[in-house]
Amino acid sequence: MEAEYAIDDGREEGGTIFLSKVMNKLVAYVQPLVSKQAQKAYLGTVLLFISAICMIFVSIFAYGIFYYKFIPQVGLERVVHLQFGNGNPWGTASLGPGLASLQPYDVTVKLELPRTPSNLATGNFMLDLTLFPPSSSSFITGANASMYAISRSRRPAILTYASPLVDMASKLSFMPLYVFGWHREAEILEVPMMEKIEFARGWRNVPDSLRLEIHSQEQMQVYKAKVEIRARFTGLRWMIYYWKITSFVVFTFLFWGISMTSASIVWITLTAISVGDKDTHKVKVKKEYRDDFWIKDEPLDESTSPWETSLDTSNDQPEQGTKREKEYQADDESDGISLSEDHSGGQDASGAGTGRESPEAQGIQRRRGHLSTDDSP
């Protein structure tokens, strides 16, 4: 039975030792993961992740502002209400702030003309388009003063010719549309007036209004006149406008990378400054500790008298003491040795009650006597 108990105790001890080893290894592996440095690393990682998420939204917002500022209005259309009366038909329109400087534009005039005998008999006619700067009053009065214009262009136009047989066949084929009002006997002419025109930098060089005039030998009938200004993008603007998704991804990532790099540099700089301040403070404290005289207050021990505690400061003082302190220590040591010898020999000290005092207490009393003698005038 005793052997079985011994075997069971050995197994329990072996299992306990194995569990303790396993726990020690687990603690050894887990302890670095929960240390202060690891906690600082976790906190820094979380802050970095949150900053990265915030920077993504900031980059998207920044790209939106960049797209709005960098890409001008693509197309601009203005209806021109022609004025008929004395002279050639003319009309004006305001462009507004839709145009940008240093950007190529194509300007086109669209005319919807009925195929009347008078319009067909007119043949070629001229279109005169003038662009005016802001605060210009010449286009309001109807005067075609080119000296106030930013740009001016004159282009010819003519209705498309059709032989009588082709014209008859076209009318017969579109007869149902003409009857129900879904189509009318008219033609839309698109006349390019300006190609790749650029305006100089400055708001005074960007047109704010236009004037359109039709020159013909016969009086022209016009359904509608319209001026279309369309931007012709090149280079980076062309890529951003026609490759919107790719440009969004590339520029958002670029803005995000720049933001994260700047934030990292600022973080590292602030960390280095804070660490440098801490080191400087430690060095300053150590220097002050070395230069000044420090006395450490410790609680009183039961075995030590109050006088001994208040006077025994040799452990906290610097090694370099005065000559007087060294003399006091030598006197205390000699007194302690003599008193210890007297105590071991069994002799009583002179004086009432002094035999009960310990050698340490007598040394303290002697030290007090020296101090009082030195302090007396």
Side-chain angles (χ1 to χ4, degrees), residues 285-301:
V285 170
K286 289 182 179 179
K287 185 177 180 181
E288 291 178 354
Y289 180 78
R290 291 175 181 175
D291 294 340
D292 297 340
F293 183 77
W294 292 82
I295 299 177
K296 184 178 180 182
D297 296 334
E298 294 182 354
L300 296 175
D301 192 20

Side-chain angles (χ1 to χ4, degrees), residues 52-357:
I53 297 298
C54 295
M55 288 301 175
I56 290 175
F57 292 101
V58 172
S59 300
I60 293 173
F61 182 72
Y63 177 76
I65 296 176
F66 171 74
Y67 185 89
Y68 177 77
K69 293 293 184 180
F70 188 70
I71 302 298
Q73 189 173 352
V74 179
L76 185 66
E77 290 186 357
R78 293 292 183 268
V79 177
V80 180
H81 301 282
L82 297 176
Q83 305 295 320
F84 292 88
N86 297 329
N88 298 317
W90 63 276
T92 61
S94 177
L95 297 176
L99 301 179
S101 59
L102 302 178
Q103 168 61 44
Y105 288 96
D106 292 337
V107 183
T108 304
V109 174
K110 293 184 178 181
L111 294 177
E112 186 176 1
L113 303 174
R115 294 183 63 84
T116 59
S118 60
N119 285 345
L120 292 172
T122 300
N124 288 99
F125 58 94
M126 298 297 295
L127 296 176
D128 190 342
L129 179 65
T130 308
L131 302 178
F132 293 96
S135 303
S136 179
S137 60
S138 60
F139 72 98
I140 298 176
T141 59
N144 191 5
S146 60
M147 60 181 300
Y148 299 104
I150 293 177
S151 179
R152 184 182 181 185
S153 177
R154 289 172 56 87
R155 298 290 173 87
I158 188 173
L159 289 172
T160 304
Y161 172 77
S163 63
L165 182 60
V166 173
D167 186 50
M168 183 61 67
S170 176
K171 290 179 180 180
L172 291 175
S173 61
F174 286 99
M175 186 61 67
L177 300 178
Y178 295 148
V179 172
F180 290 103
W182 295 342
H183 195 68
R184 57 184 178 181
E185 297 183 62
E187 183 178 353
I188 298 177
L189 294 179
E190 294 186 5
V191 183
M193 301 297 295
M194 301 175 187
E195 294 84 12
K196 296 183 179 181
I197 180 174
E198 293 187 18
F199 308 112
R201 190 182 299 276
W203 65 274
R204 294 183 180 274
N205 299 319
V206 179
D208 182 68
S209 57
L210 60 87
R211 184 177 187 275
L212 177 64
E213 186 174 354
I214 300 176
H215 298 272
S216 62
Q217 295 178 357
E218 301 291 338
Q219 188 72 30
M220 298 286 296
Q221 289 86 30
V222 181
Y223 282 143
K224 185 186 294 184
K226 183 166 52 176
V227 177
E228 183 182 76
I229 302 175
R230 188 170 183 84
R232 179 179 288 188
F233 294 135
T234 58
L236 185 60
R237 285 178 175 172
W238 180 89
M239 185 187 71
I240 293 175
Y241 182 76
Y242 289 101
W243 297 82
K244 291 183 175 63
I245 297 176
T246 304
S247 301
F248 171 77
V249 174
V250 171
F251 282 94
T252 302
F253 180 77
L254 181 62
F255 291 150
W256 179 81
I258 294 173
S259 302
M260 289 301 297
T261 303
S262 302
S264 301
I265 292 172
V266 172
W267 180 267
I268 292 170
T269 304
L270 293 177
T271 304
I273 292 172
S274 63
V275 171
D277 292 339
K278 289 181 180 179
D279 294 339
T280 305
H281 181 69
K282 289 181 180 179
V283 171
K284 185 177 180 181
V285 170
K286 289 182 179 179
K287 185 177 180 181
E288 291 178 354
Y289 180 78
R290 291 175 181 175
D291 294 340
D292 297 340
F293 183 77
W294 292 82
I295 299 177
K296 184 178 180 182
D297 296 334
E298 294 182 354
L300 296 175
D301 192 20
E302 295 180 355
S303 62
T304 307
S305 63
W307 292 102
E308 183 180 359
T309 304
S310 62
L311 295 173
D312 189 8
T313 58
S314 60
N315 293 330
D316 296 333
Q317 294 179 354
E319 294 180 359
Q320 295 179 357
T322 60
K323 294 182 179 179
R324 183 178 296 176
E325 292 175 353
K326 292 181 179 179
E327 292 176 358
Y328 291 162
Q329 292 177 1
D331 294 338
D332 292 340
E333 290 176 357
S334 61
D335 294 337
I337 293 170
S338 60
L339 289 174
S340 62
E341 291 177 353
D342 294 338
H343 181 73
S344 61
Q347 296 179 359
D348 294 336
S350 62
T354 57
R356 297 180 182 179
E357 295 179 355

